[in-house]
């Protein structure tokens, strides 16, 4: 497991000067060595309510609006819009074009804008876009709306990871971010339940059931978004729900966790360090491999229909799969934070998903019940991994700027893996979808290999630093040393 940096005289990792106005640096906030631990526990409980509460709502409605197209499909979407062949898959793929590209820029914008304004605005816009999907009359209109949905949803996950990391210590993050991710899982299960209920609205107001799925769920997002403008937390130093003592305590806690590690200034050398950091790119490869399987969840209703279930029964049978996935994700998060360890929980997810793929590739030789059971392993494994990956990378990034960019790069570029099932789970590959299962299985194995590389690389780098192999960096100009981020010799990686 990773070790923390030794305590020493510290330099507070303050909010960057360029953020003054939206996140002003308070000269009165400086690191204090000790504080009341009872007060610390009270503060953490307060943060859990004020930080995680609103973000949980926004995550929940984000994923409902993202995956409801899967339930709309089996309620007649393709027939009403005269879609043929791979049209549905194209509508899925187009989502990822802006989703992949806009995540890093979104986090850079977030550094300049209050999180409540930026994240609230994105939520409102994708809610409106979801409603629009319910009233479009052509396939091309659907494709256009999916493009804008990807654009507006792109900033949520990296923005939430970045914002949350500004309030919690490194080994407090996993449980909190997994709670947010479980909101995604619950959203899928609830989406299936809601779609099951909305199926009985077919013909109401002259609209098909699939249209009501988009309209009702989009309207709910819009209503919630209006409240989020007032409840999403801003940066710690400007948060209105914190008193001065609590703000000071947050600074102290993070400083003791990270030490004199900063990267707040965007200059040529900082750009070089970020772009050349192998940890970011290995994490992108891992995330890509896992997200290919994660987005296979969009096809679970279709897979269940292929197994012989009716459309309504498929929606109902998808719910237990996601309930179990949520349980596994929370279990992994709890023990990951308690043990201050990430690798084993990620790799366990790879093993579970691999077992599922083996069963699905042998589906002609096993019963429908065994195939259905394999979907619990597939989903559970995937949903265990992704939130742990968010935290694993964030834990090993030093400085506000680098955390912001790395979260956007990992989730943005890595989410491109979702294109894979969108292209392979097509009607021409039905009913067995062997090409899709083989490809996603291979990418999951690649992700597992990437995890091993990531683990060994962090262990090796910690050993190099322990024997002084990076101390030469302390001879760099003083301003550069202050902006080294996790390249600072005193930073220790965690795994």
């Amino acid at each position: 497991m990773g070790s923390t940096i030794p305590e020493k005289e510290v330099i507070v990792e303050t909010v960057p000067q360029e953020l003054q106005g939206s996140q002003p640096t308070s000269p009165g906030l400086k690191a204090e060595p000790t504080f009341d631990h009872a007060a610390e526990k009270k503060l953490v409980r307060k943060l859990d309510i004020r930080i995680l509460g609103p973000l949980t709502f926004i995550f929940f409605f984000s994923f409902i609006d993202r995956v409801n197209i899967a339930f709309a499909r089996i309620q007649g979407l393709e027939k009403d819009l005269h879609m043929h062949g791979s049209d549905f898959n194209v509508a899925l793929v187009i989502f990822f074009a802006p989703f992949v590209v806009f995540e890093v820029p979104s986090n850079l914008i977030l550094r300049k804008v209050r999180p409540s304004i930026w994240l609230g605005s994105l939520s409102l816009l994708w809610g409106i876009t979801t409603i629009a999907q319910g009233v479009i009359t052509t396939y091309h209109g659907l494709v256009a709306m999916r493009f804008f949905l990807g654009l507006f949803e792109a900033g949520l996950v990296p923005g939430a990871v970045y914002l949350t990391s500004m309030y919690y210590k490194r080994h407090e993050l996993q449980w909190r971010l997994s709670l947010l991710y479980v909101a995604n899982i619950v959203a899928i299960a609830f989406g299936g339940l809601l779609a099951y209920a909305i199926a009985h609205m077919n013909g109401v107001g002259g609209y098909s059931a699939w249209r009501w799925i988009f309209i009702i769920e989009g309207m709910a997002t819009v209503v919630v978004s209006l409240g989020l403008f007032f409840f999403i937390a801003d940066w710690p130093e400007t948060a209105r729900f914190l008193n001065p003592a609590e703000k000071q305590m947050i600074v102290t806690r993070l400083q003791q966790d990270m030490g004199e590690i900063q990267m707040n200034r965007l200059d040529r050398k900082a750009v070089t360090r970020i772009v050349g950091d192998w940890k970011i790119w290995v994490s992108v490869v891992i995330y890509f491999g896992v997200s290919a399987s994660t987005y296979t969840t969009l096809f679970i209703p279709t897979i269940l229909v292929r197994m012989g279930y009716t459309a309504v029964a498929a929606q109902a049978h998808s719910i237990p799969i996601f309930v179990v996935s949520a349980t596994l994700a929370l279990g992994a998060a709890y023990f990951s934070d308690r043990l201050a360890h990430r690798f084993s929980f990620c790799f366990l997810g790879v093993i579970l998903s691999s077992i599922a793929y083996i069963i699905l590739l042998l589906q002609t030789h096993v019963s429908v019940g065994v195939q259905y059971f394999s979907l619990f392993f597939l989903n559970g494994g995937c949903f265990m991994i992704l939130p742990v990956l968010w935290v694993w990378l964030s834990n090993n990034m030093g400085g506000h700027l680098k955390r912001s960019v790395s979260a956007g790069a990992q989730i943005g570029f890595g989410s491109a893996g979702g294109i894979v099932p969108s292209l392979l789970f097509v009607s021409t590959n039905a009913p067995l979808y062997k090409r899709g299962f083989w490809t996603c299985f291979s990418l999951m194995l690649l992700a597992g290999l990437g995890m091993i590389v990531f683990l060994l690389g962090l262990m090796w780098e910690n050993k190099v630093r322990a024997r002084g192999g990076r101390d030469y960096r302390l001879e760099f100009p003083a301003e550069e040393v202050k902006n080294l981020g996790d390249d600072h010799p005193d930073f220790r990686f965690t795994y």
Side-chain angles (χ1 to χ4, degrees):
M1 300 182 197
S3 57
T4 57
I5 59 175
E7 291 190 5
K8 53 162 56 178
E9 182 182 0
V10 291
I11 299 173
V12 181
E13 187 183 353
T14 55
V15 177
Q17 291 288 341
E18 65 267 24
L19 301 189
Q20 290 187 11
S22 60
Q23 306 174 223
T25 300
S26 301
L29 292 186
K30 38 181 200 178
E32 300 292 342
T34 61
F35 44 78
D36 182 0
H37 289 285
E40 180 185 17
K41 290 182 179 179
K42 182 179 178 181
L43 171 64
V44 172
R45 287 195 298 269
K46 184 176 184 179
L47 294 180
D48 288 343
I49 295 172
R50 296 303 304 269
I51 304 298
L52 300 183
L55 289 179
T56 298
F57 273 100
I58 197 172
F59 263 67
F60 178 83
F61 285 98
S62 163
F63 223 67
I64 275 189
D65 294 337
R66 189 183 309 177
V67 304
N68 52 18
I69 191 172
F71 299 109
R73 182 187 194 184
I74 61 177
Q75 291 294 340
L77 167 72
E78 291 176 297
K79 179 182 177 181
D80 288 357
L81 296 185
H82 309 291
M83 297 165 62
H84 306 283
S86 61
D87 286 350
F88 180 79
N89 302 80
V90 172
L92 295 183
V93 170
I94 198 66
F95 171 90
F96 292 100
F99 190 81
V100 169
V101 172
F102 192 57
E103 299 220 8
V104 172
S106 177
N107 258 18
L108 292 176
I109 293 172
L110 185 61
R111 285 169 49 82
K112 301 287 186 179
V113 181
R114 287 169 51 195
S116 57
I117 298 298
W118 183 242
L119 296 179
S121 297
L122 292 177
S123 177
L124 178 63
L125 289 170
W126 84 58
I128 294 172
T129 303
T130 300
I131 295 173
Q133 288 181 91
V135 297
I136 49 95
T137 58
T138 67
Y139 163 66
H140 294 97
L142 175 66
V143 170
M145 290 305 100
R146 294 294 296 179
F147 177 89
F148 284 109
L149 186 67
L151 177 67
F152 298 137
E153 286 205 14
L156 171 60
V157 175
V161 172
Y162 178 31
L163 176 62
T164 307
S165 71
M166 299 301 295
Y167 282 91
Y168 293 97
K169 295 193 289 188
R170 287 191 289 178
H171 293 295
E172 294 173 339
L173 271 178
Q174 187 62 71
W175 174 253
R176 275 81 188 178
L177 289 180
S178 289
L179 283 175
L180 296 182
Y181 196 69
V182 163
N184 285 356
I185 304 172
V186 173
I188 302 174
F190 182 80
L193 183 62
L194 185 58
Y196 176 82
I198 295 175
H200 298 91
M201 292 182 63
N202 191 44
V204 174
Y207 281 170
S208 301
W210 69 265
R211 293 187 181 276
W212 282 115
I213 291 175
F214 289 124
I215 293 171
I216 292 175
E217 294 176 358
M219 289 176 64
T221 301
V222 169
V223 171
V224 169
S225 298
L226 296 175
L228 290 175
F229 283 106
F230 301 98
F231 291 105
I232 293 177
D234 291 318
W235 305 111
E237 296 193 2
T238 60
R240 289 172 290 182
F241 67 92
L242 296 171
N243 60 43
E246 290 170 333
K247 293 177 180 179
Q248 177 63 66
M249 191 179 300
I250 289 174
V251 170
T252 303
R253 280 163 37 84
L254 295 183
Q255 169 272 313
Q256 289 180 343
D257 186 45
M258 298 294 290
E260 50 182 288
I261 306 302
Q262 300 184 52
M263 183 180 280
N264 303 327
R265 186 178 65 255
L266 184 61
D267 53 25
R268 181 180 59 82
K269 290 186 177 180
V271 171
T272 300
R273 292 187 185 282
I274 293 172
V275 174
D277 190 339
W278 67 271
K279 300 188 297 297
I280 296 176
W281 300 113
V282 171
S283 75
V284 167
V285 172
I286 298 170
Y287 204 97
F288 184 95
V290 176
S291 65
S293 294
T294 302
Y295 279 96
T296 302
T297 58
L298 287 172
F299 296 93
I300 281 183
T302 302
I303 293 170
L304 290 173
V305 168
R306 180 198 59 75
M307 290 180 182
Y309 295 99
T310 65
V312 174
Q315 290 166 342
H317 278 78
S318 68
I319 296 171
I321 296 173
F322 295 106
V323 172
V324 171
S325 299
T327 303
L328 288 173
L330 288 179
Y334 176 79
F335 288 107
S336 178
D337 267 350
R338 287 294 297 270
L339 298 174
H341 181 64
R342 312 298 180 199
F343 168 77
S344 296
F345 297 96
C346 287
F347 206 75
L348 176 59
V350 172
I351 293 172
L352 290 177
S353 297
S354 297
I355 292 172
Y357 279 124
I358 292 171
I359 294 172
L360 290 169
L361 287 168
L362 297 173
Q363 58 192 282
T364 55
H365 304 285
V366 297
S367 67
V368 170
V370 173
Q371 295 177 54
Y372 177 62
F373 182 73
S374 72
L375 296 179
F376 287 82
F377 274 39
L378 176 59
N379 261 38
C382 293
F383 287 125
M384 280 178 63
I385 297 172
L386 285 189
V388 179
L389 286 180
W390 296 344
V391 177
W392 197 6
L393 181 63
S394 179
N395 284 172
N396 290 296
M397 295 289 106
H400 299 302
L401 173 64
K402 195 166 186 183
R403 267 186 242 135
S404 170
V405 175
S406 64
Q410 178 196 43
I411 299 167
F413 299 142
S415 292
I419 297 173
V420 175
S422 301
L423 294 175
L424 294 177
F425 285 85
V426 295
S427 57
T428 54
N429 290 333
L432 299 181
Y433 298 112
K434 282 198 171 183
R435 182 181 297 179
F437 289 137
W438 265 119
T439 304
C440 291
F441 183 24
S442 300
L443 288 173
M444 182 61 73
L445 294 178
L446 176 64
L449 177 61
M451 293 171 193
I452 295 172
V453 170
F454 200 59
L455 169 70
L456 296 179
L458 296 178
M459 294 174 67
W460 177 79
E461 183 63 27
N462 275 351
K463 290 179 180 179
V464 171
R465 295 181 183 202
R467 62 174 182 261
R470 302 292 185 232
D471 288 353
Y472 67 88
R473 293 171 181 166
L474 296 174
E475 299 175 5
F476 293 165
E479 287 303 307
E480 184 177 352
V481 173
K482 291 180 181 179
N483 206 49
L484 283 175
D486 51 89
D487 279 345
H488 195 287
D490 288 339
F491 189 92
R492 292 298 182 267
F493 298 107
T494 179
Y495 40 82

